[in-house]
Amino acid sequence: MALTILKGTVISAPALGRLDVTEGGYLVAEDGKIAGVFPALPERYAGAAVEDCGDALILQAPADLHLHAPQYPMMGMGMDLPLLDWLNTYAFPTEARFADPGYAREVYRRLAGDLVANGTTRVCMFSSLHRQATRILMEELEKAGVTGYVGKVNMDRNGAPNLQETTEESMAETLRWLEECGDFRYVRPMVTPRFTPSCTDELMAFLGRLAAERDLPVQSHLSENTAEGAWVRELHPDCAQYWETYAKYGLWNGRTVMAHCVWCDERERRAMRNAGVTAVHCPDSNQNICSGVAPVRVLLNEGVSVALGTDVAGGDTLSMLDAASSAIRASKARRILDGWETDFLTAAEAWYLATSAGAAFFGEGPGFAPGNALHALVLDDSRLLQPHPLTPEERLERCLYVRQPGAVRGVWSAGRRVFSPED
């Protein structure tokens, strides 16, 4: 039996707003699966090797449920444009470059390494529409130790001259790509209509059938921007709301993640809750390209599953710790917009959304639940100044906002150590 035993200040988020803290505790995994968190090492592990992390924080590794891999080279660009203009001016030309497999390999190797260096071990990720580049992305993520889902983007209308498929090409290339995915262990395929305006009815119907026949999860965008919403209504006059354009084709269920959900009204939120759809809050992106401030507290209060995403490159960071602090800031803006009637997110709540809420989409229990695959992050904050002796909860909160150089001391993904500072 292979053992991993980490000793330090163990913190997990087993429920929204709750942190479990074990100072000087032991996080133990057997054959890559969590056996438990213990205040003292059980006798059955006597003599086993222990990695003593001192007083460093041992945290759940976060999950990023929405980002665009081919947009990584343009991170931080075009933030003066609204969504649809930003897509046409920056995103589509950048994604078109991934027709070149050599360029795809160079970018995706860097992206995969940077993800684990930031502590992210699970993703729901968009590729471009290029089949070969999508396979390269999956290869590089698997090599780096990132787990989760990747989707070949489908778009047979409203793209760009060098970034659009015919309907037949999109169907054929998607099927061919799926046949090539059988040898991946940790990175699996996901059905990915870019968003409703990018896909004809025929393509959406095909993708819905494919998801059902092959039991595949689905990812796309929902109610991100008011101009986008108006466009969707023009394209689908038979649908009263955006979500119905997915539901009518079988793309709306408990294995669906929808990014943004900024402008979802009560009826759309109820449809998400009833179907078990996960809303992915991307606060940096929503602010950067002026989409709005998502009503996260309302979504949570109404029983919608909510997780976090960076939405690179609408978002300007790969760090999910940054995404958590951005979610707190966004919730404070939402509180003001709501006339001070909705509560903002606490640090413990934001960290839950960044970790356990995302892990739930992959079928895992909250916190460091026994039986979960080991996804862990060791974070050193020893060189940060302290105004007074900090509690573990205060230390975690500060690390969402401020981190010292080289703060990430180790990352484990699906039971494997995938990052050390010396790597």
Coordinates of all heavy atoms in Angstrom, one line a residue, residues 79-121:
M79 N -9.3 44.5 -22.4 CA -10.3 44.7 -21.3 C -11.1 46.0 -21.4 O -11.9 46.3 -20.5 CB -9.5 44.6 -19.9 CG -8.8 43.3 -19.7 SD -9.9 41.9 -19.9 CE -8.8 40.5 -19.6
D80 N -10.9 46.7 -22.5 CA -11.7 47.9 -22.7 C -12.9 47.6 -23.6 O -13.6 48.6 -24.0 CB -10.8 49.0 -23.4 CG -10.1 48.5 -24.7 OD1 -10.1 47.3 -24.9 OD2 -9.7 49.4 -25.4
L81 N -13.2 46.3 -23.9 CA -14.2 46.0 -24.8 C -15.3 45.1 -24.2 O -15.0 44.3 -23.3 CB -13.7 45.2 -26.1 CG -12.7 46.0 -27.0 CD1 -12.2 45.1 -28.1 CD2 -13.5 47.2 -27.6
P82 N -16.6 45.3 -24.5 CA -17.6 44.4 -24.0 C -17.5 43.0 -24.7 O -16.8 42.9 -25.7 CB -18.9 45.1 -24.4 CG -18.5 45.9 -25.6 CD -17.1 46.4 -25.4
L83 N -18.2 42.1 -24.2 CA -18.1 40.7 -24.6 C -18.0 40.4 -26.1 O -17.0 39.8 -26.6 CB -19.2 39.8 -23.9 CG -19.2 38.4 -24.4 CD1 -18.0 37.6 -23.9 CD2 -20.5 37.7 -23.9
L84 N -19.0 40.8 -26.8 CA -19.1 40.4 -28.2 C -18.0 41.0 -29.0 O -17.4 40.4 -29.9 CB -20.5 40.7 -28.8 CG -21.7 40.0 -28.0 CD1 -23.0 40.3 -28.7 CD2 -21.5 38.4 -28.0
D85 N -17.7 42.3 -28.7 CA -16.6 43.0 -29.4 C -15.3 42.3 -29.1 O -14.4 42.2 -29.9 CB -16.6 44.5 -29.1 CG -17.8 45.2 -29.7 OD1 -18.4 44.7 -30.6 OD2 -18.2 46.2 -29.1
W86 N -15.1 42.0 -27.8 CA -13.9 41.3 -27.3 C -13.7 40.0 -28.0 O -12.5 39.7 -28.4 CB -14.0 41.2 -25.8 CG -12.9 40.5 -25.1 CD1 -11.7 41.1 -24.7 CD2 -12.7 39.2 -24.7 NE1 -10.9 40.2 -24.1 CE2 -11.5 39.0 -24.1 CE3 -13.6 38.0 -24.8 CZ2 -11.1 37.8 -23.5 CZ3 -13.2 36.8 -24.3 CH2 -11.9 36.7 -23.7
L87 N -14.7 39.2 -28.2 CA -14.6 38.0 -28.9 C -14.1 38.2 -30.3 O -13.1 37.5 -30.8 CB -15.9 37.2 -28.9 CG -16.4 36.6 -27.6 CD1 -17.9 36.1 -27.8 CD2 -15.5 35.5 -27.2
N88 N -14.7 39.1 -31.0 CA -14.3 39.3 -32.4 C -12.9 39.9 -32.6 O -12.2 39.6 -33.6 CB -15.4 40.1 -33.1 CG -16.7 39.4 -33.3 OD1 -16.7 38.2 -33.7 ND2 -17.8 40.0 -33.0
T89 N -12.6 40.8 -31.7 CA -11.3 41.6 -31.8 C -10.1 40.8 -31.3 O -9.0 40.8 -31.9 CB -11.4 42.9 -31.1 OG1 -12.6 43.6 -31.6 CG2 -10.2 43.7 -31.3
Y90 N -10.3 40.1 -30.2 CA -9.2 39.4 -29.6 C -9.3 37.9 -29.6 O -8.4 37.2 -30.0 CB -9.0 39.9 -28.1 CG -8.4 41.3 -28.1 CD1 -9.3 42.4 -28.0 CD2 -7.1 41.5 -28.1 CE1 -8.8 43.7 -27.9 CE2 -6.6 42.8 -28.1 CZ -7.4 43.9 -27.9 OH -6.9 45.2 -27.9
A91 N -10.4 37.4 -29.0 CA -10.5 35.9 -28.7 C -10.5 35.1 -30.0 O -9.7 34.1 -30.1 CB -11.7 35.6 -27.9
F92 N -11.3 35.4 -31.0 CA -11.4 34.6 -32.2 C -10.0 34.6 -33.0 O -9.6 33.5 -33.4 CB -12.5 35.0 -33.1 CG -13.9 34.7 -32.5 CD1 -15.0 35.1 -33.1 CD2 -14.0 33.8 -31.4 CE1 -16.3 34.8 -32.6 CE2 -15.3 33.5 -30.9 CZ -16.4 34.0 -31.5
P93 N -9.4 35.7 -33.2 CA -8.1 35.7 -33.9 C -7.0 34.9 -33.1 O -6.2 34.2 -33.7 CB -7.7 37.2 -34.0 CG -9.0 37.9 -34.0 CD -9.9 37.1 -33.0
T94 N -7.0 35.0 -31.8 CA -6.1 34.2 -31.0 C -6.4 32.7 -31.1 O -5.4 31.9 -31.3 CB -6.1 34.6 -29.5 OG1 -5.8 36.0 -29.5 CG2 -5.1 33.8 -28.7
E95 N -7.6 32.3 -31.0 CA -8.0 30.9 -31.1 C -7.7 30.3 -32.5 O -7.3 29.1 -32.6 CB -9.4 30.7 -30.7 CG -9.7 31.0 -29.3 CD -11.1 30.5 -28.9 OE1 -11.7 29.7 -29.5 OE2 -11.6 31.1 -27.9
A96 N -7.8 31.1 -33.5 CA -7.5 30.6 -34.9 C -6.1 30.1 -35.0 O -5.8 29.3 -35.9 CB -7.8 31.7 -35.9
R97 N -5.1 30.7 -34.2 CA -3.7 30.2 -34.3 C -3.5 28.8 -33.9 O -2.5 28.2 -34.3 CB -2.9 31.1 -33.4 CG -2.7 32.6 -33.9 CD -1.5 33.2 -33.2 NE -0.3 32.6 -33.6 CZ 0.9 32.9 -33.0 NH1 1.0 33.8 -32.1 NH2 2.0 32.2 -33.4
F98 N -4.5 28.2 -33.3 CA -4.4 26.8 -32.8 C -4.6 25.8 -33.9 O -4.7 24.6 -33.6 CB -5.2 26.6 -31.5 CG -4.6 27.3 -30.4 CD1 -4.8 28.6 -30.1 CD2 -3.8 26.6 -29.5 CE1 -4.2 29.3 -29.1 CE2 -3.2 27.2 -28.4 CZ -3.4 28.6 -28.2
A99 N -4.8 26.3 -35.1 CA -4.8 25.3 -36.3 C -3.4 24.8 -36.4 O -3.2 23.8 -37.1 CB -5.2 26.1 -37.5
D100 N -2.4 25.5 -35.9 CA -1.0 25.1 -35.9 C -0.7 24.2 -34.7 O -0.6 24.7 -33.6 CB -0.1 26.3 -35.9 CG 1.4 26.0 -35.9 OD1 1.8 24.8 -35.8 OD2 2.2 26.9 -35.8
P101 N -0.4 22.9 -34.9 CA -0.2 22.0 -33.8 C 1.1 22.3 -33.0 O 1.1 22.2 -31.8 CB 0.0 20.6 -34.4 CG -0.7 20.7 -35.8 CD -0.5 22.1 -36.2
G102 N 2.1 22.9 -33.7 CA 3.3 23.2 -33.0 C 3.0 24.4 -32.0 O 3.5 24.4 -30.8
Y103 N 2.3 25.3 -32.4 CA 1.9 26.4 -31.5 C 1.1 25.9 -30.4 O 1.2 26.3 -29.2 CB 1.2 27.5 -32.3 CG 0.8 28.7 -31.5 CD1 1.8 29.6 -31.1 CD2 -0.5 29.0 -31.2 CE1 1.4 30.7 -30.3 CE2 -0.9 30.1 -30.4 CZ 0.1 31.0 -30.0 OH -0.2 32.1 -29.2
A104 N 0.1 25.1 -30.7 CA -0.7 24.5 -29.6 C 0.1 23.8 -28.6 O -0.1 23.9 -27.4 CB -1.7 23.5 -30.2
R105 N 1.1 23.0 -29.0 CA 1.9 22.3 -28.1 C 2.7 23.2 -27.2 O 2.8 23.0 -25.9 CB 2.9 21.4 -28.8 CG 3.8 20.5 -28.0 CD 3.1 19.4 -27.3 NE 2.7 18.4 -28.3 CZ 2.0 17.3 -28.1 NH1 1.6 17.1 -26.8 NH2 1.6 16.5 -29.0
E106 N 3.3 24.3 -27.7 CA 4.0 25.3 -27.0 C 3.2 25.9 -25.9 O 3.6 26.0 -24.7 CB 4.6 26.3 -27.9 CG 5.3 27.4 -27.2 CD 5.7 28.5 -28.2 OE1 5.5 28.4 -29.4 OE2 6.2 29.6 -27.7
V107 N 2.0 26.4 -26.3 CA 1.1 27.1 -25.3 C 0.6 26.2 -24.3 O 0.5 26.5 -23.1 CB 0.0 27.8 -26.1 CG1 -1.0 28.4 -25.1 CG2 0.5 28.9 -27.0
Y108 N 0.1 25.0 -24.7 CA -0.6 24.1 -23.8 C 0.4 23.5 -22.8 O 0.0 23.2 -21.6 CB -1.4 23.1 -24.5 CG -2.6 23.7 -25.2 CD1 -3.2 23.1 -26.3 CD2 -3.2 24.9 -24.8 CE1 -4.3 23.6 -27.0 CE2 -4.3 25.4 -25.5 CZ -4.8 24.8 -26.5 OH -5.9 25.3 -27.2
R109 N 1.6 23.3 -23.2 CA 2.6 22.8 -22.2 C 2.8 23.8 -21.1 O 2.9 23.5 -19.9 CB 3.9 22.4 -22.9 CG 5.0 21.8 -22.0 CD 6.1 21.3 -22.8 NE 5.7 20.2 -23.6 CZ 6.3 19.8 -24.7 NH1 7.3 20.5 -25.2 NH2 5.8 18.7 -25.4
R110 N 2.9 25.1 -21.5 CA 3.1 26.1 -20.5 C 1.9 26.3 -19.6 O 2.0 26.4 -18.4 CB 3.4 27.4 -21.3 CG 3.4 28.7 -20.5 CD 4.7 28.9 -19.7 NE 4.7 30.2 -19.1 CZ 5.2 31.3 -19.6 NH1 5.7 31.2 -20.9 NH2 5.2 32.4 -19.0
L111 N 0.7 26.3 -20.2 CA -0.6 26.4 -19.5 C -0.7 25.3 -18.4 O -1.0 25.6 -17.3 CB -1.8 26.4 -20.4 CG -3.1 26.2 -19.8 CD1 -3.4 27.4 -18.9 CD2 -4.2 26.1 -20.9
A112 N -0.5 24.1 -18.8 CA -0.6 22.9 -17.9 C 0.3 23.1 -16.7 O 0.0 22.8 -15.6 CB -0.4 21.6 -18.6
G113 N 1.6 23.4 -17.0 CA 2.6 23.6 -15.9 C 2.2 24.8 -15.0 O 2.3 24.7 -13.8
D114 N 1.7 25.9 -15.6 CA 1.3 27.0 -14.8 C 0.1 26.7 -13.9 O -0.1 27.2 -12.8 CB 1.0 28.2 -15.7 CG 2.3 28.8 -16.3 OD1 3.4 28.4 -15.9 OD2 2.2 29.6 -17.2
L115 N -0.8 25.9 -14.4 CA -2.0 25.5 -13.6 C -1.6 24.8 -12.3 O -2.0 25.2 -11.2 CB -2.9 24.6 -14.4 CG -3.9 25.3 -15.4 CD1 -4.5 24.3 -16.3 CD2 -5.0 26.0 -14.6
V116 N -0.8 23.8 -12.4 CA -0.4 23.0 -11.2 C 0.5 23.9 -10.3 O 0.4 23.8 -9.1 CB 0.3 21.7 -11.5 CG1 -0.7 20.7 -12.2 CG2 1.6 21.8 -12.4
A117 N 1.3 24.8 -10.9 CA 2.1 25.7 -10.1 C 1.3 26.6 -9.2 O 1.7 27.1 -8.2 CB 3.1 26.5 -10.9
N118 N 0.0 26.9 -9.7 CA -0.9 27.7 -9.0 C -1.8 26.9 -8.1 O -2.7 27.5 -7.4 CB -1.8 28.5 -10.0 CG -1.1 29.8 -10.4 OD1 -1.1 30.8 -9.7 ND2 -0.5 29.8 -11.6
G119 N -1.7 25.6 -8.1 CA -2.4 24.7 -7.2 C -3.7 24.1 -7.8 O -4.4 23.4 -7.1
T120 N -4.0 24.4 -9.0 CA -5.3 23.9 -9.6 C -5.0 22.5 -10.2 O -4.1 22.3 -11.0 CB -5.7 24.9 -10.7 OG1 -6.0 26.2 -10.2 CG2 -7.0 24.3 -11.4
T121 N -5.9 21.6 -9.7 CA -5.7 20.2 -10.2 C -6.9 19.6 -10.9 O -6.8 18.5 -11.5 CB -5.4 19.3 -8.9 OG1 -6.5 19.4 -8.0 CG2 -4.1 19.7 -8.2

